[in-house]
Amino acid sequence: MALGLIARVSITPGKESEFEDLFAWQAEQVRANEPGNKLYRLFRDREKAGGYIVMEIYDDEAALAAHREAEHMKANRPKVAPLIAAPTVLELYDAV
């Protein structure tokens, strides 16, 4: 069963551009290397500075697990971590 994930991310003020650049590289890698991913897109909050959501769709739980363990994800996490201002909130949904 397909599933959707929304990740709510808060970035430290002044670090937004750096985060967006790192995410762009990460999204390119996801699209190129994760056939079970159907959507991986970053959206910037219009009202809250440093606020973003990532919308993701995966074929199934296995595809999500593969995403979490992918080498490109492991490589980018230490670069993004210092830019995060608050814990990321994950929301997981089942497709209907």
Side-chain angles (χ1 to χ4, degrees):
M1 173 192 314
L3 56 102
L5 187 144
I6 294 176
R8 297 184 185 280
V9 183
S10 296
I11 299 301
T12 301
K15 299 293 185 177
E16 295 92 348
S17 180
E18 186 177 350
F19 171 71
E20 290 176 17
D21 289 346
L22 288 168
F23 188 89
W25 176 86
Q26 184 170 295
E28 181 180 300
Q29 296 303 307
V30 168
R31 291 184 194 107
N33 298 296
E34 296 184 36
N37 174 271
K38 303 305 178 204
L39 176 70
Y40 194 75
R41 186 82 188 261
L42 181 67
F43 293 85
R44 182 184 320 118
D45 193 310
R46 289 182 168 188
E47 297 177 9
K48 180 184 168 196
Y52 294 86
I53 64 167
V54 182
M55 292 185 183
E56 307 175 42
I57 299 175
Y58 297 92
D59 285 340
D60 52 29
E61 294 281 348
L64 176 57
H67 168 74
R68 290 179 172 155
E69 294 302 316
E71 290 303 316
H72 49 270
M73 297 302 295
K74 290 178 183 178
N76 219 29
R77 279 185 196 117
K79 297 174 187 175
V80 172
L83 310 178
I84 304 291
T88 298
V89 176
L90 300 177
E91 302 172 11
L92 193 57
Y93 300 88
D94 292 321
V96 295

